[in-house]
Amino acid sequence: MALGGLGEIGMNLTVLECGEDILLIDCGVLFPDLYWLGLDLVVPDFTWLIENKDKIRGLVITHGHEDHIGAIPFLLKKMKIPIVYCSRFAQRLISEKCEEHGISDRFISFDVKAGDRHDLGCFNVEFIHVTHSTLETFALAIQTPHGLIIHSGDFKFDEKPYQGPPSDKKRFKELGKEKPLLLLSDSTNSERCGHSQSESEIHDELNRLIEEAPAAVIVALFASNIHRVHQLMDIAKRTGRKVFLSGRSMEKYVKIAIEENFLPVNLSLLQPIEEIQKYDRKEVMVLSTGSQGEARSSLLRLSKNESRWLKILEKDVVILSSRNIPGNEKAISSLVNQLYRLGATVHYEDMQNVHVSGHAYQSEQLELIKLTKPRFFIPVHGEYRHLVNHAKTATESEIPEREFVMENGAVWEFDGEEARILGDKIPTGRHWVFRDFDGGLEDISIKERRAAARAGVVVVDCLVSKRAVELSRKPLVALSGFLSPEKKNEEIKEEVSLQAEDAFNQWRVDNPDGFTREQSVAIAARKVVRRHFDVKPLVIVNFLNI
Amino acid sequence: MALGGLGEIGMNLTVLECGEDILLIDCGVLFPDLYWLGLDLVVPDFTWLIENKDKIRGLVITHGHEDHIGAIPFLLKKMKIPIVYCSRFAQRLISEKCEEHGISDRFISFDVKAGDRHDLGCFNVEFIHVTHSTLETFALAIQTPHGLIIHSGDFKFDEKPYQGPPSDKKRFKELGKEKPLLLLSDSTNSERCGHSQSESEIHDELNRLIEEAPAAVIVALFASNIHRVHQLMDIAKRTGRKVFLSGRSMEKYVKIAIEENFLPVNLSLLQPIEEIQKYDRKEVMVLSTGSQGEARSSLLRLSKNESRWLKILEKDVVILSSRNIPGNEKAISSLVNQLYRLGATVHYEDMQNVHVSGHAYQSEQLELIKLTKPRFFIPVHGEYRHLVNHAKTATESEIPEREFVMENGAVWEFDGEEARILGDKIPTGRHWVFRDFDGGLEDISIKERRAAARAGVVVVDCLVSKRAVELSRKPLVALSGFLSPEKKNEEIKEEVSLQAEDAFNQWRVDNPDGFTREQSVAIAARKVVRRHFDVKPLVIVNFLNI
């Protein structure tokens, strides 16, 4: 089953259950298109896990990206997880998160390396090295009483990674000889034909752009992409530049990578951003967060010239070495426009070869199927369109006996002989997180925010006599966020007041729909606005006893 | 000058002024990323035009796309325009708009054809045939007392358009011999290198996909793309399918195209959608609107199986023959997912060759510069990034003496000898439209909607004694759209009430910042919420005299 990641990019959480044992794989966040609603994050609904918490033997993490680890603190707040198996790098990242949330004591972890095996209940999990856009990424080979299950994690077959060896295809091939029961594989790029580019293939282009840059160079990238950071630092050294880090997560990730010996560079290259003014602009390379145009991110501040340390000037070169995450296009475009306005030269994926994806394309997805020869196939990590297209690739390979396209909550069952999707789903959903609180996206408070944004707010104040049965005067109406002119608004207020008064007086406890008196007044008020504009505002009704 | 289109895709409105004469070119809408705010449309701020209305000699329309004609009714509501010069097709579209707005009497127009010339004050405007993704598209050659100005409109150099001749390059070349003063040229695709594909190049792919389709075919496209409609109807005929139209604007555009003889097809191909059930699914081709996943559009309704006439079934083939407009990616993706869920096969630009752009790529943009050999160059129709990259192409051509990258409101002036950008800008901006009303995006009502969406609503009711100086009891507080749990909300309400009471009592008419008593109470309430959550809610303060 999956509580997340099947039918969406992000929020990955896969669940294996066998007898009395449950194994969890990853626990990530979704980056929502809903920041205008003031939400901090979106995480999976953990209801099913809480109901089954006694069976959970542990959580296995494939790698340290936010869409794989970001929801762990929110899960740990709701329940204990016996142990979390993860790489050293992911362990450090999760630790920091748990510290921020004040729940360090709940995070019990075990560092793993490629090749390690661990038992969790009846499951034996082997960690297999794969290449991806961050450090220490694993695929999983999970021995179960009913056969071998392979989970690709997020992967690509990069034959020339900038750091470390290529994916361990040899191991996949060996596992293929064991007749695996099931392959779960990363679908992110299933719509892209051919083979993804290697991390090394952008080296020449990055090197050329930076070498030719006549002034400061600012590169925006995901802080977790330590291979890319490594590559850029090598280029900085070669082109006589010092490296300055900008953005909280950039500092955090690089610090951890250095402490854990993942950045084999001369550390004198790194200089504190506070001292950037001491250097000639031709000696400067800034590595910055904010490639998605995120609010309050380092690059956005730079684009608005709000940084304390660096002003972007004409002739500076800005490189967005990252992909555009769907939903962020407008924000990124506005960032690029702003950088151009400052006179900078901007390079981005649309125009230059300055980024490669960390996810397998069709031919690599096919290769994994051919190597592992699974009996069954389930595409994971993708929107429905990606899952369908990945399944199509699997079908065309003629290797799996059957492909199953399934979404969050669907239950795939193997009874020892046959596989099928159960009729019933387990409860799943998307939960918003705001500060210390969370809830469902269909909550009344979310609906109230949407209604206010779309159609404004109507407040109806009813002054009620002490006996609580009579209005002591006609309701007072206030409008906010209305787009109509004052005169029209006065007319609406008048009408709402009349209708509200009428609804108040007409209301009886035994009204057929069982509305409260407040609800009846609200319905009457909403009707007035609908009649005028065909929209449904947020209506707030207050009964004030005097 | 431009009131729109310089620094954005959409809302095109270019202004030429010479002595006592003003000529307007196009008057379009912007499709905003702000539908969650309940806005209908975004149009240019017409303030400057209203101030200068006596000088306006007319409006010239390059073609009938919404980003070139959509704002005309809103302009006509504010002022009279002596005459609108436009193609017959655009004329029909604008007429219908004006009728809907009840201002037909204000729309005085003159049909033009390629090759026509008209005098508007001291300007003489010639209409030149160019290829684009809709019918009857013109570039303009404008003779002025100070030299020739060429405006490309929206164009591409399609050598094999599906209908009609290629762009009139011969005329551009002739004009080039007249030493044009200035070229204004379409920048939409200035980031794409090479040459755009021809409309004919997708024919084979569309034909193959439709021929191989085992059941119904639904093609979503922009209704204005009559060449594409023509092409699809030809394919329908060849593959033994009838054509059904779905979506109000599809019906409207095709009706006009037929009436004006722009669709040279056998009309028996077209059958009313009400009769679609009478046909075998292999005989069905639906042309639908909604390729952008727009709310309430035909394809969205189909994807939710809410259409009265057609249910999408397994084996049906859906083709999105259109580009993804930036900002719509999420909506389109969710539409594609939904169509896959119904079991349909979906083809879209990411995966198949089922759409070509209507705008020139870099090599065509360069070719227009080489043909017309302008002294000065201003890139138009694009975000800042597109303008900058287009200017770069012009610079590299070494033809114009100078390129000017300018945004809305900037004034480019030619004094007979030299060109320059004036220091002062004319007033411009984006105006929302909602029903019959309009206003600026910085209006208080818009801010109120945003605040409510991001942080919820606080209502503070102060019951004030008749003498209006004393609270008759402590303020009553209501919260709406708050994401915190009930207990926390009670705590906040209590605190807001206390602070509001304090602010009420402390307030004096001569307070240093000059706030009203209501404002002081609102500030105190807002502070409480900020202290708890670091967000600023919408605060509504009511003073109720009792």
Side-chain angles (χ1 to χ4, degrees):
Chain A
M1 300 154 278
L3 297 182
L6 292 190
E8 67 220 336
I9 301 268
M11 213 173 88
N12 298 299
L13 204 177
T14 310
V15 181
L16 302 185
E17 185 181 20
C18 182
E20 290 304 302
D21 298 315
I22 286 175
L23 166 66
L24 309 182
I25 301 169
D26 292 333
C27 185
V29 295
L30 181 76
F31 296 101
D33 194 23
L34 299 169
Y35 287 113
W36 59 275
L37 281 172
L39 311 178
D40 291 337
L41 284 173
V42 170
V43 301
D45 179 342
F46 298 125
T47 309
W48 190 85
L49 294 186
I50 294 164
E51 283 168 6
N52 290 277
K53 64 171 185 271
D54 293 341
K55 289 179 157 188
I56 296 174
R57 304 293 161 242
L59 167 61
V60 174
I61 299 299
T62 59
H63 63 290
H65 273 150
E66 285 300 308
D67 51 340
H68 294 258
I69 65 169
I72 292 176
F74 304 97
L75 178 61
L76 293 181
K77 278 183 191 176
K78 305 234 175 205
M79 58 187 288
K80 280 203 168 174
I81 296 287
I83 193 158
V84 179
Y85 292 87
C86 54
S87 73
R88 179 72 187 148
F89 187 63
Q91 196 273 336
R92 291 286 311 268
L93 296 172
I94 303 165
S95 279
E96 288 215 4
K97 275 180 202 299
C98 290
E99 242 166 72
E100 282 166 21
H101 285 270
I103 51 162
S104 293
D105 56 317
R106 291 186 151 239
F107 176 51
I108 299 152
S109 67
F110 195 95
D111 289 4
V112 294
K113 291 212 172 307
D116 288 359
R117 281 161 172 271
H118 289 281
D119 288 318
L120 291 92
C122 66
F123 301 105
N124 177 277
V125 182
E126 176 187 346
F127 297 81
I128 301 165
H129 167 73
V130 288
T131 48
H132 184 47
S133 48
T134 188
L135 293 174
E136 295 197 300
T137 302
F138 304 127
L140 308 170
I142 304 160
Q143 300 286 353
T144 79
H146 290 299
L148 172 63
I149 296 177
I150 297 172
H151 190 300
S152 74
D154 279 353
F155 83 105
K156 68 189 280 193
F157 285 147
D158 190 337
E159 302 305 329
K160 283 186 170 183
Y162 195 77
Q163 210 179 68
S167 296
D168 192 354
K169 285 192 196 174
K170 194 166 142 264
R171 185 63 191 137
F172 285 122
K173 198 169 180 182
E174 284 165 13
L175 291 166
K177 290 176 191 154
E178 296 181 28
K179 300 193 188 226
L181 175 66
L182 174 66
L183 171 64
L184 303 145
S185 181
D186 170 16
S187 311
T188 310
N189 278 335
S190 69
E191 293 181 337
R192 298 200 188 178
C193 62
H195 197 292
S196 69
Q197 276 193 292
S198 165
E199 183 69 25
S200 302
E201 281 179 59
I202 52 172
H203 193 79
D204 290 347
E205 184 77 352
L206 286 173
N207 194 60
R208 185 182 66 80
L209 293 173
I210 293 166
E211 202 158 61
E212 292 174 0
V217 171
I218 296 103
V219 187
L221 70 165
F222 289 114
S224 57
N225 197 339
I226 296 297
H227 306 309
R228 189 75 50 85
V229 170
H230 181 187
Q231 180 165 173
L232 289 162
M233 288 181 77
D234 284 349
I235 294 173
K237 191 179 170 198
R238 202 176 311 129
T239 56
R241 292 175 187 266
K242 295 292 181 189
V243 176
F244 304 84
L245 306 178
S246 182
R248 209 176 68 92
S249 68
M250 187 61 74
E251 285 164 16
K252 180 172 92 177
Y253 279 81
V254 170
K255 179 172 158 280
I256 293 175
I258 289 170
E259 287 172 3
E260 304 295 340
N261 289 317
F262 286 118
L263 261 181
V265 292
N266 185 336
L267 292 183
S268 68
L269 270 175
L270 275 173
Q271 294 296 322
I273 189 107
E274 297 80 7
E275 297 188 6
I276 198 165
Q277 301 288 356
K278 293 186 190 161
Y279 294 85
D280 185 274
R281 291 188 85 81
K282 263 222 75 161
E283 294 170 347
V284 163
M285 177 194 284
V286 177
L287 302 185
S288 171
T289 54
S291 62
Q292 302 301 305
E294 303 97 319
R296 284 191 267 189
S297 67
S298 156
L299 190 60
L300 196 72
R301 275 186 285 120
L302 282 168
S303 79
K304 295 178 176 171
N305 265 338
E306 289 173 359
S307 160
R308 284 172 66 188
W309 314 114
L310 179 67
K311 233 181 149 58
I312 292 185
L313 301 175
E314 223 158 309
K315 292 190 183 167
D316 286 347
V317 171
V318 181
I319 301 173
L320 302 185
S321 183
S322 58
R323 78 175 181 118
N324 298 351
I325 292 183
N328 295 343
E329 292 83 357
K330 280 263 174 181
I332 296 169
S333 202
S334 129
L335 171 75
V336 169
N337 288 329
Q338 197 48 40
L339 292 165
Y340 272 126
R341 283 191 189 99
L342 297 175
T345 303
V346 194
H347 302 289
Y348 35 98
E349 207 187 358
D350 293 353
M351 297 195 66
Q352 261 97 11
N353 196 13
V354 292
H355 176 65
V356 294
S357 173
H359 298 271
Y361 284 19
Q362 282 173 2
S363 79
E364 296 154 271
Q365 292 172 337
L366 177 63
E367 191 176 357
L368 183 62
I369 294 166
K370 284 184 174 169
L371 286 167
T372 54
K373 300 188 179 61
R375 183 170 164 202
F376 301 112
F377 179 78
I378 300 175
V380 295
H381 303 178
E383 295 182 21
Y384 200 80
R385 56 196 281 177
H386 304 120
L387 306 179
V388 170
N389 281 300
H390 199 180
K392 208 172 138 211
T393 299
T395 307
E396 285 164 4
S397 77
E398 296 186 350
I399 292 170
E401 187 179 311
R402 198 167 153 200
E403 298 80 28
F404 295 86
V405 174
M406 49 192 261
E407 293 194 84
N408 294 338
V411 180
W412 182 88
E413 188 186 65
F414 181 68
D415 61 10
E417 301 208 340
E418 275 314 310
R420 62 189 181 119
I421 306 282
L422 298 189
D424 287 335
K425 288 191 166 196
I426 62 169
T428 58
R430 293 180 179 185
H431 262 217
W432 52 264
V433 173
F434 172 71
R435 308 303 184 252
D436 285 332
F437 319 119
D438 67 286
L441 285 172
E442 294 306 310
D443 285 1
I444 179 74
S445 48
I446 299 287
K447 286 184 184 160
E448 288 167 345
R449 289 187 174 202
R450 285 186 201 269
R454 276 194 201 141
V457 184
V458 180
V459 181
V460 184
D461 283 333
C462 298
L463 293 164
V464 185
S465 68
K466 283 243 167 67
R467 281 170 300 137
V469 287
E470 270 173 33
L471 283 173
S472 68
R473 52 181 285 188
K474 69 183 189 121
L476 283 153
V477 180
L479 306 182
S480 189
F482 265 57
L483 300 178
S484 27
E486 203 43 45
K487 207 183 132 197
K488 176 86 180 170
N489 289 350
E490 287 306 320
E491 180 193 325
I492 289 169
K493 278 174 169 169
E494 187 60 34
E495 213 175 313
V496 169
S497 180
L498 279 173
Q499 297 299 322
E501 184 173 18
D502 207 41
F504 184 97
N505 292 329
Q506 297 295 320
W507 179 83
R508 278 180 200 83
V509 184
D510 61 347
N511 68 76
D513 298 312
F515 292 124
T516 64
R517 200 160 204 161
E518 281 90 339
Q519 284 171 331
S520 298
V521 171
I523 290 165
R526 200 171 287 116
K527 261 190 198 158
V528 172
V529 179
R530 283 194 71 180
R531 198 162 51 238
H532 281 271
F533 305 126
D534 193 24
V535 295
K536 292 185 219 169
L538 169 64
V539 178
I540 302 171
V541 175
N542 297 321
F543 279 15
L544 295 88
N545 292 304
I546 53 168
Chain B
M1 303 154 274
L3 297 182
L6 292 190
E8 68 221 336
I9 301 267
M11 213 172 90
N12 298 298
L13 203 176
T14 310
V15 181
L16 301 185
E17 185 181 21
C18 183
E20 289 304 302
D21 298 315
I22 286 176
L23 167 67
L24 309 182
I25 301 169
D26 292 333
C27 184
V29 296
L30 181 77
F31 295 102
D33 194 22
L34 299 168
Y35 287 113
W36 58 274
L37 280 172
L39 311 178
D40 291 336
L41 284 173
V42 171
V43 300
D45 180 340
F46 298 124
T47 308
W48 189 86
L49 294 186
I50 294 164
E51 283 168 7
N52 291 276
K53 63 169 185 276
D54 293 340
K55 290 178 157 187
I56 296 173
R57 304 292 161 243
L59 167 61
V60 174
I61 299 299
T62 60
H63 63 288
H65 273 150
E66 285 299 310
D67 51 339
H68 294 258
I69 64 168
I72 292 176
F74 305 97
L75 177 61
L76 293 182
K77 279 182 191 178
K78 305 234 175 206
M79 57 188 288
K80 279 202 170 176
I81 295 288
I83 192 157
V84 179
Y85 291 88
C86 54
S87 73
R88 178 75 187 146
F89 187 63
Q91 196 272 338
R92 291 288 310 269
L93 296 171
I94 303 165
S95 280
E96 288 216 2
K97 275 179 201 301
C98 289
E99 242 167 73
E100 283 167 21
H101 285 271
I103 50 162
S104 293
D105 56 317
R106 293 188 149 237
F107 176 51
I108 298 152
S109 67
F110 195 95
D111 290 4
V112 295
K113 292 214 171 306
D116 288 359
R117 282 163 171 271
H118 289 280
D119 287 319
L120 289 93
C122 66
F123 302 105
N124 177 276
V125 182
E126 174 187 347
F127 296 82
I128 302 166
H129 167 73
V130 289
T131 49
H132 184 47
S133 47
T134 189
L135 293 173
E136 296 197 299
T137 302
F138 305 127
L140 308 171
I142 305 160
Q143 301 286 353
T144 80
H146 291 300
L148 172 63
I149 296 177
I150 297 173
H151 189 299
S152 74
D154 280 353
F155 82 105
K156 68 188 281 193
F157 284 147
D158 190 337
E159 302 305 330
K160 283 187 173 183
Y162 196 76
Q163 211 180 65
S167 296
D168 192 355
K169 285 192 197 173
K170 194 167 143 265
R171 185 63 192 137
F172 286 121
K173 199 169 179 181
E174 284 165 13
L175 291 166
K177 289 176 191 153
E178 296 181 29
K179 300 198 184 206
L181 175 67
L182 174 66
L183 171 65
L184 303 145
S185 180
D186 171 15
S187 310
T188 310
N189 278 335
S190 69
E191 293 180 338
R192 298 199 189 179
C193 62
H195 197 291
S196 69
Q197 276 192 291
S198 164
E199 183 68 25
S200 303
E201 281 180 60
I202 53 172
H203 193 79
D204 291 346
E205 184 77 352
L206 286 173
N207 194 60
R208 185 181 68 79
L209 294 173
I210 293 166
E211 201 159 61
E212 291 174 1
V217 171
I218 297 101
V219 186
L221 71 164
F222 289 115
S224 57
N225 197 338
I226 297 296
H227 306 309
R228 189 77 48 86
V229 170
H230 182 186
Q231 180 166 174
L232 289 162
M233 289 181 78
D234 284 348
I235 295 173
K237 190 179 172 198
R238 202 176 311 130
T239 57
R241 292 174 187 267
K242 295 291 181 190
V243 176
F244 305 84
L245 305 179
S246 183
R248 208 176 68 93
S249 69
M250 187 62 73
E251 286 164 17
K252 179 173 91 177
Y253 280 79
V254 170
K255 179 172 157 278
I256 293 175
I258 290 171
E259 288 171 4
E260 303 296 338
N261 289 317
F262 287 118
L263 261 181
V265 292
N266 183 336
L267 292 183
S268 69
L269 270 176
L270 274 173
Q271 294 295 322
I273 188 109
E274 297 80 7
E275 296 187 6
I276 198 166
Q277 302 287 356
K278 293 186 190 160
Y279 294 86
D280 185 274
R281 290 189 86 80
K282 265 222 73 161
E283 293 171 348
V284 163
M285 178 195 283
V286 178
L287 302 186
S288 172
T289 55
S291 62
Q292 302 300 306
E294 302 98 319
R296 286 191 265 189
S297 67
S298 157
L299 191 61
L300 196 73
R301 275 186 285 121
L302 282 168
S303 79
K304 295 178 175 172
N305 264 338
E306 289 173 0
S307 160
R308 285 170 67 188
W309 314 114
L310 179 68
K311 234 182 148 57
I312 292 185
L313 301 175
E314 223 158 312
K315 293 191 181 165
D316 285 347
V317 171
V318 181
I319 302 174
L320 302 185
S321 184
S322 58
R323 80 177 179 117
N324 299 351
I325 292 183
N328 295 343
E329 292 83 356
K330 281 262 174 181
I332 296 168
S333 203
S334 129
L335 172 75
V336 169
N337 289 328
Q338 197 49 39
L339 292 166
Y340 271 127
R341 283 191 189 99
L342 297 176
T345 303
V346 193
H347 301 290
Y348 33 99
E349 206 186 359
D350 293 353
M351 297 194 67
Q352 262 96 11
N353 196 14
V354 291
H355 176 64
V356 294
S357 172
H359 298 271
Y361 284 20
Q362 281 172 2
S363 79
E364 296 154 271
Q365 291 171 338
L366 177 62
E367 193 177 357
L368 182 63
I369 295 166
K370 284 185 173 168
L371 286 168
T372 54
K373 299 189 180 59
R375 181 169 165 205
F376 300 114
F377 179 78
I378 300 175
V380 296
H381 303 176
E383 295 182 21
Y384 200 81
R385 56 196 281 178
H386 305 119
L387 305 180
V388 170
N389 282 300
H390 198 180
K392 209 172 137 212
T393 298
T395 307
E396 284 165 4
S397 77
E398 295 185 353
I399 291 170
E401 186 178 312
R402 198 167 152 200
E403 298 79 29
F404 295 85
V405 174
M406 50 192 261
E407 293 194 83
N408 294 339
V411 180
W412 182 87
E413 189 186 65
F414 180 68
D415 61 10
E417 301 208 340
E418 274 314 310
R420 62 189 181 119
I421 307 280
L422 298 190
D424 288 335
K425 288 191 166 196
I426 62 169
T428 59
R430 293 180 179 185
H431 263 215
W432 52 263
V433 173
F434 172 71
R435 308 301 184 254
D436 285 333
F437 319 120
D438 67 287
L441 285 171
E442 295 307 309
D443 284 2
I444 180 74
S445 49
I446 299 287
K447 286 183 183 159
E448 288 167 345
R449 288 186 174 202
R450 283 185 202 270
R454 276 193 201 143
V457 184
V458 180
V459 181
V460 184
D461 284 332
C462 298
L463 293 164
V464 185
S465 68
K466 282 244 167 68
R467 281 168 302 136
V469 288
E470 270 173 31
L471 281 173
S472 68
R473 52 181 286 187
K474 68 182 189 122
L476 282 153
V477 180
L479 306 182
S480 188
F482 264 58
L483 300 178
S484 28
E486 203 42 46
K487 206 183 134 196
K488 177 86 180 170
N489 290 351
E490 288 306 320
E491 182 192 322
I492 288 169
K493 278 168 154 174
E494 187 61 34
E495 214 175 312
V496 169
S497 180
L498 280 172
Q499 297 298 323
E501 184 173 18
D502 208 40
F504 184 97
N505 292 328
Q506 296 296 317
W507 179 83
R508 277 180 202 81
V509 183
D510 61 347
N511 68 77
D513 298 312
F515 293 122
T516 64
R517 200 161 205 160
E518 282 90 339
Q519 285 170 331
S520 298
V521 170
I523 290 165
R526 201 171 286 117
K527 262 191 196 157
V528 172
V529 179
R530 282 195 70 179
R531 198 161 52 237
H532 281 272
F533 305 126
D534 194 24
V535 294
K536 292 185 220 170
L538 169 63
V539 178
I540 302 170
V541 176
N542 297 322
F543 278 16
L544 296 86
N545 293 304
I546 52 169

